[in-house]
Amino acid sequence: MARVLVADPIAETGIELLGREHEVEVRPGLSESELAEALAGVSALIVRSQTRVTRPALAAAAELRVIARAGVGVDNIDVEAATERGITVVNAPLANTLSAAEHAFGLMLALARNIPQGDASLRGGAWERGRLQGVELAGRTLGIVGLGRIGSEMARRARAFEMELLGYDPFVPAERARSLGVELVELVELFARSDFVTLHSALLEETRGLVSAELLARAKPGLRLINAARGGLVDEAALLAAVRSGRIAGAAVDVFSSEPAVGNILTTDPRIVVTPHLGASTAEAQDRAALTVVEQVLDILAGGAARFSVNAPLADPETMAVLGPFLAAARLAASVAVQLAPGGPRRARVEYHGEMGSLDVTPLRASVIVGLLAHITEERVTAVNAPQLARARGLELDEERAAAVEPYANLIRVHVYSEGGEASVATTHTVGGVRIVGIDDYEVELSPRQTPYLLAIENLDRPGAVGQVGSQLGELAVNINSMSVAAGAADHALMMLGVTRALTPGELRHVSALDNVYAVRQVEL
């Protein structure tokens, strides 16, 4: 069982699922120093938007393997620091799509028809139908900044309300926008032509303060702005000034530059509708977010891959369906090859044989690097930081895509070139799991399961050679639990022996001194 820290409230369904397999501690409201202390011995951390996961906090997290954000944005997590430490960061990008889109649309309706103001007025004893006259959405132009999942859902709903749609998103192709009924324009034009603008962009350095005083000054008079994305997208002082001047008719805001936003300047004007970050606050969204991240945490702690990793090199789901079983095979081939090659590796070459060669092999490449580095560095190496560590060590990695090798539909061969020589290992994945099927020029058949160590013994192909080695290992009280023998060229042969413990240097010398044996190499699996 691993230790899992839940630092922000998540749905109880997620807590229950985690608790079936691991030790779970729920501690919301931790400061940076308290979080750093709490992370000692923790393998997985789950947060929402409240807890900030900083570099200093991560410095104390020696065993942390995954940070899960039960939501979409990860701006409260230092992803760069996590990546450097080999920690996978995952989120739940699909969990709150509908909830956030519905809330943004609800804010737009409330803003158009003065619903919050009408509620407050009537509760205050007034009947102000004339003063609270609103506008219809039909026939109006909605500008959507960001046409990702939530922005796309906003577009679909706005079309049902007979609105004209403009969009700004430099990463969305025109064909995609047209399929949504959206005309792509530049940001300034969008603000100049829209009656309503809704924000659905990620908060990045280049988008911070995107809605500035300059942009609002060029907006269509009477524009109404909706922000249910990220508070930092908007210059709040500029927005308040634009509303008070009458240039902007009003705004509806669910997110703020600093939260909790009690006392925020945008709460001081009745023409600005405010809600306390409710975009994802539905029972359905919270259940989806919790289950999505918990399932990924369980997968990672079990040695698998995440569906929605922010920093790990993953491919699309269809590609991962093919490559997923071969990630362990790629790591094994590299790990065995680097141990068989004498001296530190300087260069490696990977051959992808079969169907996998026609796909995006980025995840396989990362797994190969993990296998190459795991035995030559004291740093923790994962698919997250493996490419970075390989560059830092100057390790060159070449790749080749080739036809399938009979009888295997898919096969990975890793060649390692080191100061003292080279070695190659081929692996595949079958219904029985990962298998080693090639060592250098020898064809072998060996399963690494339940075999902690391998002995690769090259010998002259003579009668009694296997028995001689077996007798010597018996005298050393070394148990053999698997074997694969392959004949080579020029009367050479290879014994691959699975053994239950590592041999000492002296014991290895004893085996090497046997007649007909000319090379003994040991591999830890």
Side-chain angles (χ1 to χ4, degrees):
M1 294 179 68
R3 287 184 58 203
V4 180
L5 174 63
V6 180
D8 289 324
I10 66 171
E12 192 61 33
T13 51
I15 301 291
E16 292 175 0
L17 183 58
L18 275 173
R20 294 174 192 170
E21 299 185 33
H22 300 290
E23 177 186 343
V24 182
E25 182 179 11
V26 181
R27 292 184 61 187
L30 295 174
S31 65
E32 181 181 68
S33 60
E34 290 170 335
L35 178 63
E37 182 179 350
L39 285 175
V42 167
S43 298
L45 170 65
I46 300 178
V47 299
R48 288 181 62 195
S49 58
Q50 295 93 326
T51 298
R52 299 198 62 79
V53 186
T54 63
R55 183 179 291 271
L58 292 177
E63 297 180 33
L64 191 61
R65 295 169 57 186
V66 55
I67 303 169
R69 162 71 161 91
V72 180
V74 291
D75 42 286
N76 59 318
I77 300 170
D78 191 328
V79 177
E80 181 179 353
T83 301
E84 291 172 3
R85 301 182 66 83
I87 301 168
T88 304
V89 179
V90 302
N91 65 349
L94 308 182
N96 69 352
T97 298
L98 293 179
S99 295
E102 288 182 358
H103 190 69
F105 209 91
L107 289 175
M108 183 164 63
L109 285 168
L111 185 60
R113 300 307 301 271
N114 296 313
I115 293 172
Q117 297 91 332
D119 178 83
S121 173
L122 184 56
R123 291 179 187 278
W127 187 263
E128 300 180 292
R129 295 181 62 195
R131 185 179 73 83
L132 297 175
Q133 177 178 297
V135 297
E136 294 181 351
L137 298 185
R140 304 278 178 173
T141 298
L142 172 64
I144 305 174
V145 179
L147 286 170
R149 289 177 293 270
I150 299 173
S152 297
E153 292 298 331
M154 281 292 289
R156 295 186 180 98
R157 284 153 179 75
R159 286 178 63 189
F161 274 70
E162 301 179 14
M163 300 186 79
E164 301 294 326
L165 302 180
L166 301 178
Y168 169 75
D169 193 324
F171 304 106
V172 168
E175 295 78 10
R176 167 66 175 165
R178 280 196 295 269
S179 71
L180 294 168
V182 177
E183 176 189 352
L184 283 181
V185 296
E186 291 301 313
L187 187 63
V188 172
E189 183 180 351
L190 182 144
F191 270 75
R193 292 173 54 187
S194 298
D195 300 295
F196 294 82
V197 168
T198 181
L199 306 181
H200 300 288
S201 292
L203 180 60
L204 308 169
E205 282 307 310
E206 54 267 34
T207 60
R208 188 175 296 278
L210 183 71
V211 180
S212 62
E214 293 77 14
L215 184 62
L216 292 172
R218 302 175 69 176
K220 182 177 182 178
L223 171 72
R224 291 170 171 85
L225 179 72
I226 301 97
N227 184 15
R230 285 290 180 268
L233 295 172
V234 177
D235 182 331
E236 294 173 341
L239 175 58
L240 180 62
V243 170
R244 286 178 172 172
S245 72
R247 177 77 183 186
I248 303 299
V253 180
D254 184 52
V255 290
F256 301 86
S257 58
S258 179
E259 297 178 2
V262 176
N264 184 283
I265 58 174
L266 297 183
T267 66
T268 63
D269 195 299
R271 290 165 292 187
I272 301 178
V273 177
V274 292
T275 53
H277 204 149
L278 299 179
S281 293
T282 63
E284 295 86 351
Q286 293 309 304
D287 281 344
R288 284 194 297 266
L291 290 175
T292 298
V293 297
V294 164
E295 288 167 356
Q296 292 181 91
V297 166
L298 292 174
D299 286 342
I300 291 172
L301 293 180
R307 286 183 296 154
F308 302 115
S309 174
V310 174
N311 62 344
L314 298 179
D316 60 81
E318 291 76 15
T319 298
M320 287 304 295
V322 177
L323 299 186
F326 293 93
L327 297 179
R331 185 166 58 249
L332 177 66
S335 174
V336 174
V338 79
Q339 293 179 77
L340 292 176
R346 290 290 176 266
R347 182 167 63 88
R349 188 176 88 253
V350 187
E351 298 173 6
Y352 307 103
H353 292 270
E355 179 189 4
M356 67 172 64
S358 65
L359 303 174
D360 177 5
V361 296
T362 301
L364 293 177
R365 181 189 311 122
S367 290
V368 167
I369 297 174
V370 170
L372 291 173
L373 297 182
H375 291 278
I376 62 174
T377 179
E378 293 182 355
E379 298 180 76
R380 182 172 62 176
V381 186
T382 71
V384 172
N385 65 349
Q388 182 184 68
L389 291 177
R391 288 192 298 269
R393 298 182 69 91
L395 178 63
E396 299 179 18
L397 184 66
D398 300 320
E399 295 174 292
E400 179 181 337
R401 301 164 189 260
V405 176
E406 292 292 340
Y408 310 107
N410 288 287
L411 179 140
I412 298 172
R413 185 179 294 274
V414 178
H415 303 262
V416 173
Y417 306 91
S418 65
E419 294 177 349
E422 62 184 79
S424 71
V425 175
T427 59
T428 189
H429 186 278
T430 68
V431 291
V434 176
R435 305 190 74 80
I436 300 172
V437 297
I439 301 289
D440 296 331
D441 294 327
Y442 297 99
E443 295 183 6
V444 299
E445 180 68 24
L446 194 67
S447 170
R449 290 188 300 175
Q450 299 179 337
T451 300
Y453 298 95
L454 291 178
L455 292 178
I457 302 174
E458 294 178 85
N459 60 282
L460 293 175
D461 196 2
R462 298 285 187 269
V466 172
Q468 189 180 24
V469 171
S471 296
Q472 178 67 75
L473 292 177
E475 291 179 12
L476 297 173
V478 176
N479 186 44
I480 300 172
N481 58 9
S482 62
M483 175 186 294
S484 180
V485 179
D491 294 329
H492 286 184
L494 174 70
M495 284 182 247
M496 290 296 296
L497 306 179
V499 294
T500 56
R501 71 167 177 86
L503 274 66
T504 66
E507 290 172 335
L508 288 171
R509 285 193 294 271
H510 278 298
V511 178
S512 299
L514 292 172
D515 292 342
N516 302 322
V517 172
Y518 61 89
V520 179
R521 293 172 288 177
Q522 184 167 246
V523 173
E524 180 181 354
L525 295 177

